[in-house]
Amino acid sequence: MGYLIESAYDGVCIDLTRNGFSETFFPLQSRPPQYLFGLIICIGYLRSLYFVQVYLKSGCPIPDTSMEWTTYCGKDAETWSDHFLVRIAEFIKLTELERESNRVKSKKKPVLDLSGDNLFGTF
């Protein structure tokens, strides 16, 4: 989906998911313009059914670049990601903090006990 949007609008497309598969897509062939303001379209993927447009604050962290983009981008497009390196690094840092926080929380939860008769618990 990201490549379709970035190709149609010749801008940056960010796909956000809750599953950790968020990516940033840059144009494959065109050079970045001098001013990048307004060239970011963010799409949120909800419950594996819906796409919604997400409005990002200026300068907010963005996900890492799509691996396919780094493989297939042309010479003119190679500098797109350079403009967003700080924002991508901040996103990676926040993601690592969240993973560590989840690791700590999961250690505090009791292990699932399957020794009883009712394997599904009570609802």
Side-chain angles (χ1 to χ4, degrees):
M1 176 73 79
Y3 287 116
L4 293 173
I5 294 170
E6 64 82 10
S7 294
Y9 294 99
D10 198 31
V12 179
C13 179
I14 299 171
D15 287 349
L16 295 178
T17 67
R18 294 193 63 160
N19 303 332
F21 299 114
S22 300
E23 294 180 297
T24 300
F25 298 90
F26 299 110
L28 290 168
Q29 299 300 324
S30 67
R31 290 183 181 184
Q34 186 176 4
Y35 301 103
L36 296 173
F37 180 75
L39 291 176
I40 298 176
I41 297 173
C42 185
I43 303 296
Y45 190 49
L46 301 175
R47 298 184 184 170
S48 303
L49 297 172
Y50 306 102
F51 291 96
V52 295
Q53 185 172 2
V54 177
Y55 296 95
L56 301 175
K57 290 184 178 183
S58 180
C60 72
I62 61 173
D64 203 0
T65 307
S66 168
M67 293 301 290
E68 289 84 11
W69 181 83
T70 55
T71 304
Y72 297 111
C73 72
K75 285 284 186 197
D76 289 340
E78 286 178 342
T79 59
W80 270 97
S81 62
D82 296 345
H83 299 282
F84 297 94
L85 289 177
V86 172
R87 294 172 69 178
I88 291 171
E90 184 67 24
F91 187 88
I92 292 169
K93 179 181 165 188
L94 290 172
T95 304
E96 288 171 358
L97 288 173
E98 183 181 15
R99 283 189 188 135
E100 184 59 33
S101 172
N102 288 341
R103 213 174 285 130
V104 170
K105 287 178 188 176
S106 67
K107 288 181 181 179
K108 294 179 183 177
K109 298 233 180 210
V111 177
L112 183 62
D113 182 14
L114 298 176
S115 62
D117 292 336
N118 187 358
L119 296 179
F120 298 105
T122 55
F123 297 96

